[in-house]
Amino acid sequence: MNRSSIQGQLVDIFRKEIRPSEIIIENEKIVEIIEKNADEVPDIYILPGFIDAHIHIESSMLSPYEFARMACVHGTVATISDPHEIANVCGLDGVRFMIENSKNAPVKIFFGAPSCVPATSFETAGAILDSKDVAELMQHKDIWYLSEVMNYPGVLNNDPELMAKIQAAKDVNKPVDGHAPGLRGDTARRYASYSITTDHECFTLEEALDKVDDMYILIREGSAARNYEALAPLLKSHPEKVMFCSDDKHPDELVLGHINLIVKRAVAEGYDLFDVLKAACIHPTQHYKIPVGLLKKGDFADFITVDNLKDFNILATYNQGRKVAENGNCLLEYLKPEAINHFKAIPKSVADFAYKANSRVQKIRVIEVVDGQLVTQSIIADAHIENGYLTSNTENDILKIVVVNRYTENAPVAIGFIRNFGLKSGAIASTVAHDSHNIIAVGVSDEEICKVVNALIDSQGGVAVVDNESSFPDVMPLPVAGLMSIEDAHSAGEKYSNIDQKAKQLGCKLKAPFMSLSFMALLVIPSLKLSDLGLFDGNKFEFVDVESL
């Protein structure tokens, strides 16, 4: 019999009280909670661990196991994880990789079945998961829900294939996650009526209030999208309908913190401690029906200890009674993952990135980045033409953006223009490009764009930056599906931070240049994006011309 105990101030979220206690653990579970006198226990607080209610682990650029090694030091005990990104690259093999790699991880990772692979028919992905594939996944014991249904036009129009995927989740009584940016009023209610129970895409309080009666609202603070400031009032007005999530978290930021940072911020701003902890710990566990302990007798011994309830400095994290992190260090060793990939693109020439202008063109349609948001604006700007070709205009901060199909040897390059990246020279590129993860790049000249794109083709995926004075780009390889590193979290975080800083040295003023870049091909988020097939209006759900005659 494996028996242990821990003493401290027990934070009972259900009873909304804090009391000195001793917790007795046997064989991974809590078998008894004994009330003690205050002077009998150490001055630490014991509380349920934090849960990220929606994350794409691939966006941490770490394998699930390595992500967990870093997240557990911040008090994370579980995640609700959508393997949508690797599924778009490698299909069912990618989902299986994520499940296998997460086994024995120090964080409980609960995967969903991706509902939209590919996300739309307006881009080239590496795989297709049809309703039969999804139904097969929904029967799997390691699949806990249907991942975000981002094709909301398909829902509203009763697309038969999409309806079959939703029905597959309902047949096994598993939740269905939503993704409906900008939907309001009756349209939002109709979307929710198809058994869709969450939304993490609200970027205004008004939108969230439209949806909160029908769905849980996930307050998101990630590396690109940060909606806490807008949505935090829900913690007071609708505390029973809120969860916290990061959605996408790059490695340099994951090193600094996770859901613990949202908890600390909310409590510091005066929101009720127990309401905040319900959002961080209780609601995800109950909604997704996951086997995560909540500090009750009979529960798994999943919990954390902190020094106080203001700073929430994590002293230790426990997974089924096993201490997995202590004083900022994971107690489990690094394990190098096997690489899985899907890459066929061949090197490009500078001429592939040239855009011959129409003789009558005076204006162009431009993607305008909104820092800290996934949504973009669509603007009309003056065309900048040199020798008959549309080119970047650094004075007006309008740069060329391209998407290169990585699943076909020599497909044509899609070309557009973008504002607010701020580069004065050079180019940046990434194979983390939601949702299909083709190569996406922004740069000042065709030569620099070609150089940085070819660097990623050569490395079979990664993130890269090149200056016009450099012969070779700086590259962080991502050999696992072009999405994840095989290095440990600290090494990956340091490399990513260096690449990020070099992009900013070229003039980029975005908080997270590569995270923002990764969403410029995400067609299901308005207003204007670029896929490997062309410029796309996310409001009208149709392709549009770059040139505005």
Side-chain angles (χ1 to χ4, degrees):
M1 181 184 298
N2 185 9
R3 184 181 177 95
S4 61
S5 69
I6 186 169
Q7 297 181 349
Q9 299 289 336
L10 174 66
V11 180
D12 188 330
I13 305 174
F14 294 98
R15 291 166 58 176
K16 292 192 172 184
E17 64 181 31
I18 301 170
R19 59 183 185 274
S21 301
E22 180 179 13
I23 300 172
I24 309 298
I25 303 165
E26 284 185 7
N27 300 324
E28 303 181 343
K29 292 191 174 183
I30 296 172
V31 296
E32 193 172 2
I33 299 176
I34 304 169
E35 292 196 23
K36 310 286 285 189
N37 294 322
D39 59 358
E40 294 181 298
V41 302
D43 190 22
I44 64 172
Y45 293 83
I46 307 169
L47 61 154
F50 304 133
I51 300 174
D52 191 328
H54 176 77
I55 185 171
H56 303 279
I57 287 176
E58 304 96 311
S59 292
S60 72
M61 302 183 181
L62 304 171
S63 68
Y65 183 90
E66 188 59 19
F67 166 88
R69 287 184 69 243
M70 182 52 61
C72 72
V73 307
H74 303 307
T76 301
V77 298
T79 64
I80 307 301
S81 302
D82 180 1
H84 169 93
E85 313 305 342
I86 196 169
N88 266 281
V89 178
C90 300
L92 288 173
D93 287 343
V95 178
R96 295 186 189 106
F97 167 85
M98 299 295 278
I99 292 172
E100 288 301 313
N101 186 262
S102 69
K103 290 181 176 178
N104 301 313
V107 168
K108 295 180 175 182
I109 300 175
F110 299 97
F111 290 107
S115 66
C116 298
V117 177
T120 73
S121 59
F122 302 102
E123 57 195 318
T124 304
I128 296 174
L129 295 187
D130 61 19
S131 58
K132 181 180 178 181
D133 295 320
V134 170
E136 177 185 332
L137 282 172
M138 295 309 301
Q139 299 292 328
H140 199 292
K141 65 181 179 62
D142 292 317
I143 295 295
W144 295 83
Y145 67 106
L146 183 66
S147 299
E148 54 183 312
V149 181
M150 59 181 61
N151 183 6
Y152 58 83
V155 174
L156 298 173
N157 291 303
N158 279 286
D159 176 85
E161 180 72 4
L162 193 53
M163 293 299 104
K165 294 176 181 180
I166 293 174
Q167 188 60 49
K170 293 169 66 176
D171 286 345
V172 291
N173 196 30
K174 294 180 180 179
V176 179
D177 268 8
H179 170 116
L183 285 195
R184 301 286 301 272
D186 290 340
T187 304
R189 284 185 283 278
R190 189 155 61 90
Y191 173 78
S193 72
Y194 288 88
S195 300
I196 296 172
T197 54
T198 70
D199 189 39
H200 61 275
E201 290 292 348
C202 295
F203 48 89
T204 68
L205 182 60
E206 291 74 22
E207 180 185 350
L209 290 172
D210 256 4
K211 296 174 177 176
V212 72
D213 289 338
D214 302 297
M215 295 183 279
Y216 275 99
I217 303 300
L218 276 56
I219 298 178
R220 173 177 57 188
E221 277 290 296
S223 293
R226 301 175 187 271
N227 308 124
Y228 172 87
E229 186 173 350
L231 304 182
L234 294 173
L235 287 166
K236 185 174 182 180
S237 65
H238 295 80
E240 299 301 322
K241 296 299 294 288
V242 176
M243 303 184 221
F244 296 143
C245 79
S246 64
D247 197 2
D248 296 282
K249 197 79 167 173
H250 268 188
D252 57 331
E253 291 198 4
L254 182 62
V255 168
L256 301 177
H258 193 202
I259 300 301
N260 61 313
L261 298 182
I262 309 178
V263 171
K264 178 180 177 180
R265 180 176 178 182
V267 172
E269 292 180 5
Y271 292 104
D272 180 82
L273 169 68
F274 295 103
D275 287 339
V276 172
L277 293 179
K278 280 183 180 179
C281 313
I282 306 297
H283 294 161
T285 302
Q286 294 177 334
H287 177 68
Y288 291 99
K289 304 171 187 174
I290 52 178
V292 174
L294 296 173
L295 283 180
K296 297 184 297 181
K297 184 177 178 179
D299 280 1
F300 281 115
D302 306 318
F303 57 87
I304 62 176
T305 59
V306 301
D307 60 349
N308 64 72
L309 298 177
K310 178 182 177 183
D311 301 310
F312 291 93
N313 296 315
I314 310 299
L315 302 177
T317 303
Y318 293 80
N319 181 325
Q320 296 190 183
R322 173 182 61 162
K323 185 188 290 186
V324 294
E326 186 172 33
N327 297 325
N329 295 299
C330 179
L331 303 181
L332 277 66
E333 293 184 357
Y334 162 73
L335 297 176
K336 183 179 177 179
E338 296 292 329
I340 178 174
N341 212 329
H342 189 174
F343 218 103
K344 293 183 178 179
I346 61 176
K348 302 298 177 185
S349 68
V350 174
D352 290 325
F353 301 97
Y355 193 114
K356 181 72 173 178
N358 185 297
S359 60
R360 295 180 292 124
V361 68
Q362 295 182 347
K363 302 286 186 179
I364 56 173
R365 190 173 278 106
V366 175
I367 302 167
E368 185 173 58
V369 183
V370 181
D371 199 7
Q373 301 292 343
L374 307 190
V375 295
T376 62
Q377 302 298 324
S378 177
I379 64 172
I380 302 297
D382 292 333
H384 191 260
I385 301 173
E386 294 181 358
N387 300 318
Y389 290 88
L390 290 174
T391 62
S392 298
N393 183 347
T394 56
E395 289 186 8
N396 292 336
D397 190 16
I398 295 175
L399 305 176
K400 185 172 284 187
I401 180 171
V402 304
V403 176
V404 178
N405 179 336
R406 68 142 147 164
Y407 305 108
T408 305
E409 283 193 358
N410 201 21
V413 175
I415 301 171
F417 291 86
I418 196 162
R419 184 177 183 182
N420 283 345
F421 262 88
L423 298 178
K424 300 300 182 184
S425 65
I428 65 175
S430 176
T431 53
V432 180
H434 307 282
D435 278 314
S436 292
H437 301 292
N438 290 297
I439 304 169
I440 189 166
V442 169
V444 171
S445 71
D446 294 348
E447 290 77 12
E448 291 160 321
I449 292 173
C450 183
K451 189 180 293 185
V452 79
V453 165
N454 282 340
L456 293 188
I457 292 174
D458 183 63
S459 67
Q460 301 284 280
V463 294
V465 59
V466 66
D467 193 345
N468 59 0
E469 298 178 357
S470 302
S471 299
F472 301 100
D474 291 297
V475 180
M476 175 184 174
L478 300 174
V480 181
L483 300 173
M484 292 170 277
S485 172
I486 59 173
E487 298 195 51
D488 67 88
H490 286 286
S491 298
E494 183 178 355
K495 285 189 176 182
Y496 176 77
S497 182
N498 290 337
I499 293 276
D500 179 77
Q501 287 303 312
K502 287 177 181 178
K504 291 172 180 175
Q505 289 168 8
L506 296 179
C508 187
K509 293 181 172 59
L510 296 173
K511 180 175 176 59
F514 286 96
M515 184 63 85
S516 293
L517 178 64
S518 73
F519 288 106
M520 294 306 103
L522 184 54
L523 309 188
V524 295
I525 300 287
S527 291
L528 193 64
K529 299 293 173 70
L530 183 69
S531 86
D532 68 297
L533 301 178
L535 194 63
F536 189 78
D537 186 323
N539 293 315
K540 297 179 180 178
F541 242 65
E542 64 184 24
F543 288 110
V544 292
D545 292 330
V546 171
E547 296 173 312
S548 179
L549 303 177

